[in-house]
Amino acid sequence: MFLILLILVQGISLDVYDTPNDDGSSITLSWSSDTLISSYQILRSIFPEHDFKEIARVESGKTTYVDTAVKAGTKYYYRIKGAGLDTVFFSNTAGPVRPIAQIFNLGRLNIAVCMIILFAVILFYISRARKGEKLYIRKIPALTAVEEAIGRATEMGKPVLFVPGIMDIDNPQTIAAMSILARVAEKTAEYGTPLYVPTSKAMAMSMAQQVVKESATKVGRPDWFNADNIRYLTDDQFGYVSAVDGMMVREKPATNLYLGCFYAESLILAETGHYTGAIQIAGTAMPDQLPFFVAACDYTLLGEELYAASAYLSQEPIQIGSLKGQDFGKLIFILVIVIGVITRLLGNQYFYNLFKTTR
Amino acid sequence: MEVLGVWIASLLTLAIYSFLYKDNPFYKVAEHIFVGISAGYWAVILWFDFAWPNLFEPLIVKGNMVYLIPIIIGLLMFAPFIPKLSWLVRIPLTFTMGISMALFITQIIQGDILPQLQATFLPLAGIHPFKVFSNLLIIAGVVFTLIYFYFSKEHKGTLGFAAKVGIWFMMVSFGASFGYTVMARISLLIGRVYFLLHNWLGII
Amino acid sequence: MGQVNNILARLSALDRRIIFLLVAVAVIVPLLIPIGLPVDITKPVKNIYDKVESLPEGSVVVVSIDYDPGSEAELYPATEAFLEHCFRKNLRIFMLALWPAGTPLGNMALENIGAHYNKKYGVDYINVGYKPGGPVMLLSLGKNVGDMVKTDYAGVPIDSLPLGKEVKSARDMALVMSLSAGDPGVLHWIIYFHARFGIPVCAATTAIMAPQQYPYLASGQLVGLMGGLKGAAEYETLVKRRGRALAGMDSQSIVHALLVLFIILGNVILVYQRSKR
Amino acid sequence: MKSILPIIVVFGFGFFMLVSFFIPLKGIQDTSQTFQNWYIGVMAFFIFIGIFNIIKINLEKIQRRLRDWQYSIILLICLLVMMAAGFIGGPEGGLFLYFYKNVQIPLGATMFSLLAFFVASAAFRAFRARSPEATLLLIAAVLVMIGRVPIGYWIWHGFPNLVEWIMTVPNTAAKRGILFGIDLGMISMGLRVLLGIERSYMGGGKE
């Protein structure tokens, strides 16, 4: 009897608590054991002494279990039965624990703070830009090249090819590409130079068509717009790249613009364009693809410069405002990094722990 | 049938490689076969793996009317084919944008910004001197790269120097990416050559 | 001097088809006559191996086929090597695909390796096929698998399969392996699935994506990484399996050497032409 | 209506999803899960419309006898054959998988491998040390190319460690810096979309 009692207390030590930051629909159990146990039986009751029923079986190696079959507000007690080699081990009875619904997830407070700061900074600069304040943005060298390249195509009497990446319009890079496309379309419409925009997503096609059509109307050349030049080819990446390649070899555009979200097709496009002798300007925020654009194109917009370019070209207050807001965000990040490094150097972990996102 | 399949696969492989010589009808035929087959494949898989079990079966077989909502929103994608109603395409667009952007914002903070900032607070004491050096380099590299992408000031003086150092870091990382990509491309070629030599010709 | 000039001028105007031919030769010859260069093991690959070793028997590993035939050459050997390790350790596989054309590739690997270890479909492994919606789908999946998965890839109701019945949410998953060739893929498994549900994620990516994963390796958000065919060859070495990745490593080495030669040659021409001006 | 309704939709659903991230109450969580599931359902139609467009474009091409229209016939036949094989025999059907295995895999895999050749010619003709920055890129590239494959280990056993250092130190630093910039850009884009300031994705943004 005495022996069994000893095992009962020492075999498994169980701890239960209301899962933090949830809707009161679960209780978390965690236990530790220093004996060899092949499987655990988890028992639950609403009474401290009796009526314990099995609610789950867990294999060895696990030390936590989340009970999701609970009602918020009810008190629960837990016990664990562990099957050892030839003995059965019990844990202490843990509880009572009462799951409570939280209104705000405190574990995500740091995310909320970060989001609010970034939103505030961005909105602040957007509103300043909207009020007509002139906000400075440094010149982006690759952009001047875009206009020159369109001029060159016109002189040669050859078309301009604009590839807006291969992702759909839920991708911000595609959207940035579209605002650059608007400016490119204005220029080409003005000069009467054909502009080809092959797309890999149906929605990107309809968007590109609308953007180009509007630009043509804006510069008084609605007749220039030809919906057939803005085509959806295929969703398949390689089907698409081979079709665009074929297009380059057949139509021989003098200027190729690759702006948007690119994957493996970046090099095959840039290399084929190089082969056909086109001037090539690229821009993407896909870090994996930048090296090939840098290697094989005449100018490259590196990463965020793609968004900056779209702002710079349009001189639209909203875009410029957001860019300035993001700049401020970068200053905050630098500051945070410096503080983080220094506090850690001084042996203070508090600041470091503020950035924890997973329990 | 199996042998025929290997022959079809091999001939199509060679047809694509003929593009290396120049664009030609064989390549174009292969290209169009590929687009056609892939599109057909997508339709079938999308239907059987998702659209039927997750949308239409619950609606048609089980009569769960809630599933009408995503189907109707989805069908509005076809609105542009009726000129008068073409604006309705904005409903599925804004619906998907609203949801994906909102989730994106919270996830990028939770999954990217906070953990990556935290990972930059690297220890500089109590470790091997070379590790200190490496950690310093990482911290400096992150900061200077951020400075390169600072658009509010012209890159002159100290700022210009910092941006320049940022570019150096980026160039090393681009070089690394280039090296890796070369590796990727070669691997793909090896895969095809292996197929031709092994499955088709049976030499290896 | 005139002769050197002549050669370099000719070289710089070299038809690229000759370069193409040299590359082809450098791939074919080592495949026919293997050299057997030894393969070194890198830490990110070893990390995956150790993670799998540490999992208790019967744990559910999510294997996500986030690639299509375009990356089959790099990622299929990695798929087989990883599955071999899991099946050997008696782990159970829950497979899905974020890319539509991934499902049959995953099935091929499951059937090949599963048969070898006498694994049973529905009990030891399942494949629920392609699921659209990318990152948003992952959030739904982690919270309630049943919302996203009604049937397996062949249309069999998921509740009729023992393993399918058991995997209810992210809580029932021990590890995620994303075999990733782009978006949606490993990035979404990290910043959506891992960040929300805390399940460890490891990945086999195309080599092109590998350098981009290093910040996540450094932060611990990614447990381990197999980069490209070399990563797969390392894993094959670790699990002692002589597969396609190891067979290709000699060609890989020789072509790399050839390309380095090209770069050096190209730059010698540049320097020479500059000094002439 | 035409411009207000879309803004209400994007703002309404967007902000609900944002807020629901922080509020663990059951009703809110269940609703957000329902919206997510609808989203995935709608996304399926994005693919259907893609296929629909392929058919439409190629039919037009054939009708108007545009250049290379003959190939469009091949494309449409392949599409129909594949769909017939799949819908009649199911995705497990022999013929469907036969086409997948013997047509789609080799074509997809080969298309990608063409890049090996293009990368080689880019290495020879475009990859030049024109500036100190480019030189740095070049040196790193060469080190990685040699040190990451068995030949590097064979030349010098320390090579893999050197490459791993490049990957984990300068590469990680720069990639992380770039990542932060991109993340900020995406957040600002997302915010503008949710507020209805950014409407370009709806096409033009003006009525």
Side-chain angles (χ1 to χ4, degrees), chain C residues 38-47 49 230-231 233-239, chain D residues 148 153 160-161 164:
Chain C
V39 173
D40 58 289
I41 309 292
T42 57
K43 197 166 162 280
V45 176
K46 186 72 176 23
N47 284 352
Y49 182 85
K230 169 71 185 335
E234 291 177 37
Y235 214 83
E236 284 182 358
T237 312
L238 283 171
V239 299
Chain D
R148 195 86 296 184
Y153 181 67
N161 290 336
E164 199 57 26

Short mmCIF file of all heavy atoms in Angstrom, two decimals, chain C residues 38-47 49 230-231 233-239, chain D residues 148 153 160-161 164:
data_model
loop_
_atom_site.label_atom_id
_atom_site.label_comp_id
_atom_site.label_asym_id
_atom_site.label_seq_id
_atom_site.Cartn_x
_atom_site.Cartn_y
_atom_site.Cartn_z
N PRO C 38 33.82 12.14 -53.33
CA PRO C 38 33.10 12.01 -52.06
C PRO C 38 32.19 13.21 -51.80
O PRO C 38 32.50 14.33 -52.18
CB PRO C 38 34.23 11.95 -51.02
CG PRO C 38 35.37 12.65 -51.67
CD PRO C 38 35.25 12.39 -53.15
N VAL C 39 31.03 12.94 -51.15
CA VAL C 39 30.06 14.01 -50.86
C VAL C 39 30.18 14.44 -49.41
O VAL C 39 30.12 13.60 -48.50
CB VAL C 39 28.63 13.51 -51.15
CG1 VAL C 39 27.60 14.52 -50.70
CG2 VAL C 39 28.47 13.20 -52.63
N ASP C 40 30.39 15.74 -49.19
CA ASP C 40 30.47 16.28 -47.83
C ASP C 40 29.05 16.56 -47.31
O ASP C 40 28.15 16.80 -48.09
CB ASP C 40 31.28 17.58 -47.82
CG ASP C 40 30.68 18.62 -48.75
OD1 ASP C 40 30.76 18.41 -49.98
OD2 ASP C 40 30.09 19.61 -48.27
N ILE C 41 28.89 16.51 -45.99
CA ILE C 41 27.58 16.75 -45.39
C ILE C 41 27.55 18.14 -44.76
O ILE C 41 28.41 18.45 -43.94
CB ILE C 41 27.26 15.71 -44.29
CG1 ILE C 41 27.47 14.29 -44.82
CG2 ILE C 41 25.85 15.90 -43.75
CD1 ILE C 41 26.50 13.85 -45.87
N THR C 42 26.57 18.95 -45.12
CA THR C 42 26.47 20.29 -44.53
C THR C 42 25.49 20.26 -43.36
O THR C 42 24.65 19.37 -43.25
CB THR C 42 25.99 21.32 -45.57
OG1 THR C 42 24.74 20.88 -46.09
CG2 THR C 42 26.99 21.45 -46.70
N LYS C 43 25.62 21.29 -42.52
CA LYS C 43 24.85 21.31 -41.28
C LYS C 43 23.34 21.38 -41.51
O LYS C 43 22.60 20.64 -40.86
CB LYS C 43 25.32 22.49 -40.42
CG LYS C 43 24.89 22.36 -38.98
CD LYS C 43 25.63 23.35 -38.09
CE LYS C 43 24.91 23.54 -36.78
NZ LYS C 43 23.78 24.47 -36.87
N PRO C 44 22.84 22.25 -42.41
CA PRO C 44 21.39 22.32 -42.58
C PRO C 44 20.76 20.97 -42.98
O PRO C 44 19.64 20.68 -42.57
CB PRO C 44 21.21 23.35 -43.70
CG PRO C 44 22.42 24.19 -43.63
CD PRO C 44 23.54 23.27 -43.22
N VAL C 45 21.48 20.16 -43.75
CA VAL C 45 20.95 18.85 -44.15
C VAL C 45 20.98 17.90 -42.96
O VAL C 45 20.01 17.18 -42.68
CB VAL C 45 21.75 18.26 -45.33
CG1 VAL C 45 21.24 16.87 -45.67
CG2 VAL C 45 21.64 19.16 -46.55
N LYS C 46 22.09 17.93 -42.24
CA LYS C 46 22.22 17.09 -41.05
C LYS C 46 21.11 17.39 -40.05
O LYS C 46 20.58 16.49 -39.38
CB LYS C 46 23.60 17.31 -40.42
CG LYS C 46 23.94 16.38 -39.25
CD LYS C 46 24.20 14.97 -39.75
CE LYS C 46 24.64 13.96 -38.70
NZ LYS C 46 24.35 14.15 -37.32
N ASN C 47 20.73 18.68 -39.95
CA ASN C 47 19.67 19.08 -39.03
C ASN C 47 18.35 18.36 -39.32
O ASN C 47 17.64 17.98 -38.41
CB ASN C 47 19.43 20.59 -39.10
CG ASN C 47 20.52 21.36 -38.37
OD1 ASN C 47 21.35 20.76 -37.69
ND2 ASN C 47 20.52 22.67 -38.53
N TYR C 49 18.01 15.47 -40.84
CA TYR C 49 18.24 14.08 -40.49
C TYR C 49 18.07 13.87 -38.98
O TYR C 49 17.35 12.98 -38.54
CB TYR C 49 19.64 13.66 -40.94
CG TYR C 49 19.96 12.21 -40.67
CD1 TYR C 49 19.58 11.22 -41.58
CD2 TYR C 49 20.64 11.83 -39.52
CE1 TYR C 49 19.86 9.90 -41.33
CE2 TYR C 49 20.93 10.51 -39.27
CZ TYR C 49 20.54 9.54 -40.18
OH TYR C 49 20.81 8.22 -39.94
N LYS C 230 22.36 18.74 -54.67
CA LYS C 230 23.45 18.48 -53.73
C LYS C 230 22.89 18.14 -52.36
O LYS C 230 23.34 17.19 -51.71
CB LYS C 230 24.38 19.69 -53.66
CG LYS C 230 25.40 19.65 -52.52
CD LYS C 230 26.47 18.61 -52.75
CE LYS C 230 27.45 18.43 -51.59
NZ LYS C 230 27.67 19.50 -50.68
N GLY C 231 21.88 18.89 -51.91
CA GLY C 231 21.24 18.60 -50.64
C GLY C 231 20.66 17.20 -50.63
O GLY C 231 20.80 16.45 -49.66
N ALA C 233 21.64 14.73 -52.48
CA ALA C 233 22.76 13.77 -52.48
C ALA C 233 23.30 13.59 -51.07
O ALA C 233 23.65 12.48 -50.66
CB ALA C 233 23.87 14.26 -53.41
N GLU C 234 23.34 14.68 -50.31
CA GLU C 234 23.80 14.58 -48.92
C GLU C 234 22.84 13.70 -48.12
O GLU C 234 23.26 12.87 -47.31
CB GLU C 234 23.88 15.97 -48.28
CG GLU C 234 25.00 16.83 -48.84
CD GLU C 234 24.99 18.22 -48.23
OE1 GLU C 234 24.69 18.36 -47.04
OE2 GLU C 234 25.28 19.19 -48.97
N TYR C 235 21.54 13.91 -48.35
CA TYR C 235 20.56 13.12 -47.60
C TYR C 235 20.64 11.65 -48.00
O TYR C 235 20.52 10.77 -47.16
CB TYR C 235 19.14 13.67 -47.81
CG TYR C 235 18.28 13.51 -46.58
CD1 TYR C 235 18.34 14.44 -45.55
CD2 TYR C 235 17.43 12.43 -46.42
CE1 TYR C 235 17.58 14.30 -44.41
CE2 TYR C 235 16.66 12.27 -45.28
CZ TYR C 235 16.74 13.21 -44.27
OH TYR C 235 16.00 13.05 -43.13
N GLU C 236 20.84 11.42 -49.29
CA GLU C 236 21.01 10.03 -49.75
C GLU C 236 22.20 9.39 -49.06
O GLU C 236 22.16 8.23 -48.66
CB GLU C 236 21.18 9.99 -51.27
CG GLU C 236 19.88 10.19 -52.03
CD GLU C 236 20.04 10.10 -53.54
OE1 GLU C 236 21.19 9.92 -54.00
OE2 GLU C 236 19.03 10.22 -54.25
N THR C 237 23.28 10.19 -48.90
CA THR C 237 24.45 9.67 -48.21
C THR C 237 24.11 9.34 -46.76
O THR C 237 24.48 8.29 -46.24
CB THR C 237 25.59 10.71 -48.24
OG1 THR C 237 25.73 11.18 -49.58
CG2 THR C 237 26.90 10.14 -47.76
N LEU C 238 23.37 10.24 -46.10
CA LEU C 238 23.02 10.04 -44.70
C LEU C 238 22.14 8.81 -44.49
O LEU C 238 22.32 8.07 -43.53
CB LEU C 238 22.31 11.28 -44.15
CG LEU C 238 23.20 12.49 -43.83
CD1 LEU C 238 22.35 13.71 -43.51
CD2 LEU C 238 24.11 12.18 -42.65
N VAL C 239 21.15 8.63 -45.40
CA VAL C 239 20.26 7.47 -45.22
C VAL C 239 20.77 6.24 -45.97
O VAL C 239 20.07 5.24 -46.08
CB VAL C 239 18.79 7.79 -45.64
CG1 VAL C 239 18.22 8.90 -44.80
CG2 VAL C 239 18.69 8.11 -47.11
N ARG D 148 30.50 24.28 -53.16
CA ARG D 148 29.26 23.63 -52.76
C ARG D 148 29.08 22.25 -53.39
O ARG D 148 28.17 21.53 -53.05
CB ARG D 148 28.09 24.56 -53.11
CG ARG D 148 26.80 24.22 -52.48
CD ARG D 148 26.51 24.76 -51.10
NE ARG D 148 27.33 24.35 -49.99
CZ ARG D 148 27.10 24.71 -48.74
NH1 ARG D 148 26.08 25.48 -48.46
NH2 ARG D 148 27.87 24.31 -47.77
N TYR D 153 35.19 20.00 -52.20
CA TYR D 153 35.63 19.22 -51.04
C TYR D 153 36.87 18.42 -51.39
O TYR D 153 37.78 18.25 -50.59
CB TYR D 153 34.48 18.29 -50.62
CG TYR D 153 34.76 17.44 -49.42
CD1 TYR D 153 34.91 18.00 -48.15
CD2 TYR D 153 34.83 16.05 -49.55
CE1 TYR D 153 35.14 17.21 -47.05
CE2 TYR D 153 35.06 15.25 -48.44
CZ TYR D 153 35.22 15.83 -47.20
OH TYR D 153 35.45 15.04 -46.11
N PRO D 160 33.87 23.46 -48.04
CA PRO D 160 32.44 23.51 -47.65
C PRO D 160 32.20 24.43 -46.46
O PRO D 160 31.19 25.13 -46.41
CB PRO D 160 32.13 22.06 -47.29
CG PRO D 160 33.11 21.25 -48.07
CD PRO D 160 34.36 22.07 -48.11
N ASN D 161 33.14 24.46 -45.49
CA ASN D 161 32.96 25.33 -44.33
C ASN D 161 33.04 26.80 -44.71
O ASN D 161 32.30 27.63 -44.19
CB ASN D 161 34.02 25.03 -43.26
CG ASN D 161 33.78 23.69 -42.62
OD1 ASN D 161 32.65 23.20 -42.62
ND2 ASN D 161 34.84 23.07 -42.12
N GLU D 164 29.80 27.63 -46.29
CA GLU D 164 28.75 27.72 -45.29
C GLU D 164 28.85 29.04 -44.53
O GLU D 164 27.83 29.64 -44.17
CB GLU D 164 28.84 26.51 -44.35
CG GLU D 164 27.59 26.21 -43.55
CD GLU D 164 26.33 25.96 -44.37
OE1 GLU D 164 26.45 25.54 -45.55
OE2 GLU D 164 25.23 26.21 -43.86
#
